[in-house]
Amino acid sequence: MINLSVNINKVATIRNSRGGNIPDVKKVAQDCESFGAQGITVHPRPDERHIRYSDIYNIKPIIRTELNIEGYPCPEFIDLIMKVKPTQVTLVPDAPDALTSNQGWNVEANLNKLTELVELFASKSIRTSIFVETDLNNIKFAAKTGTDRIELYTGPYAENYGKGKEEAIRPFIDAARCAKELGMGVNAGHDLSLVNLEYFASEIPWIDEVSIGHALISDALYYGLEKTIALYKECLKQK
């Protein structure tokens, strides 16, 4: 079964809109795990408009499965990773003011930088994943960094799913197969939902993990968090 890591950024967004501690981000992280999620994902940004660095320090001691911290490797982010020592760090090339992550790394152009980061995090036994698109040459350069995994940016898949799912999934199958052949694990994330997740998982069953936040938290408003996590995990089962 493909692992489900729940991104709890949107929970923090709701809390921050009113101040105080409702909803309690720490409790939501615990609940996600108790309801069956195999990991928790957070993506701090410099303006702390959703998850805060202080949240991550509070969450880390209570995580029983895996903690995945995503973000752009600015000095403050690197310092956070080295102090918190999450299970996994996902390196994302988003600008500080980006609304959401919407592109992968040009790995060739950043090869030395990414290689140094992979080596640094490996020295602390932290698994590294590099956020990329489906260009095969770029994925080959990702392998040169020594990264443990890549994470496929699935925004284009979600956008094109309704126009023709077979065509939408094809480049992702090729990319995931290329990564596997090069010895890397494969994660995926961005706009995966109850609409498109099951097909994605059935066509690329060797995916290690999906990280899902916006759609899952939105669905939880209707179904409740426990049932929503169960529904997403059902999409990930090998049929």
Side-chain angles (χ1 to χ4, degrees):
M1 182 174 175
I2 300 167
N3 284 345
L4 171 65
S5 186
V6 177
N7 186 320
I8 59 172
N9 275 19
K10 280 296 184 295
V11 177
T13 302
I14 298 171
R15 176 201 60 190
N16 295 352
S17 69
R18 285 289 296 269
N21 195 41
I22 299 174
D24 185 333
V25 172
K26 183 176 176 180
K27 184 177 187 305
V28 170
Q30 290 179 304
D31 287 343
C32 287
E33 288 192 323
S34 68
F35 295 152
Q38 291 99 348
I40 300 297
T41 290
V42 290
H43 188 149
R45 287 187 164 85
D47 62 4
E48 296 196 320
R49 62 182 180 268
H50 34 62
I51 206 76
R52 299 168 181 157
Y53 276 38
S54 59
D55 290 324
I56 298 171
Y57 285 108
N58 290 332
I59 290 168
K60 175 57 166 63
I62 66 167
I63 295 297
R64 295 177 289 104
T65 54
E66 292 197 353
L67 176 62
N68 170 46
I69 304 180
E70 302 178 340
Y72 179 78
C74 62
E76 295 79 9
F77 181 84
I78 295 170
D79 183 61
L80 172 75
I81 298 302
M82 297 301 283
K83 288 178 179 176
V84 173
K85 298 182 181 66
T87 314
Q88 177 175 268
V89 56
T90 301
L91 300 175
V92 182
D94 53 0
D97 60 348
L99 180 63
T100 186
S101 304
N102 58 11
Q103 63 180 351
W105 285 95
N106 179 336
V107 182
E108 182 178 6
N110 294 278
L111 184 62
N112 291 337
K113 174 181 181 178
L114 290 170
T115 300
E116 289 173 2
L117 289 168
V118 169
E119 291 174 352
L120 175 64
F121 299 141
S123 72
K124 298 297 183 181
S125 300
I126 301 168
R127 186 171 72 229
T128 303
S129 179
I130 296 177
F131 196 65
V132 296
E133 297 171 56
T134 56
D135 179 80
L136 300 186
N137 189 59
N138 199 45
I139 291 172
K140 291 174 183 177
F141 273 99
K144 293 179 185 293
T145 69
T147 188
D148 301 285
R149 297 182 183 181
I150 59 167
E151 178 172 331
L152 292 173
Y153 166 57
T154 50
Y157 165 74
E159 181 179 354
N160 294 311
Y161 179 84
K163 304 172 188 176
K165 60 184 181 181
E166 294 85 0
E167 188 67 22
I169 195 70
R170 187 171 297 117
F172 291 88
I173 295 174
D174 293 340
R177 183 177 292 121
C178 176
K180 182 181 179 182
E181 290 172 352
L182 291 168
M184 293 181 290
V186 183
N187 298 339
H190 198 87
D191 287 344
L192 294 173
S193 69
L194 292 176
V195 173
N196 58 44
L197 180 59
E198 183 172 358
Y199 182 71
F200 188 90
S202 68
E203 294 297 302
I204 316 176
W206 63 92
I207 290 279
D208 293 289
E209 171 189 292
V210 293
S211 175
I212 305 178
H214 182 80
L216 189 150
I217 299 302
S218 297
D219 287 331
L221 296 175
Y222 294 94
Y223 302 121
L225 186 58
E226 183 172 9
K227 182 176 180 181
T228 298
I229 288 175
L231 290 170
Y232 274 83
K233 288 184 67 177
E234 184 66 26
C235 290
L236 296 171
K237 285 184 179 179
Q238 303 303 313
K239 304 295 194 296

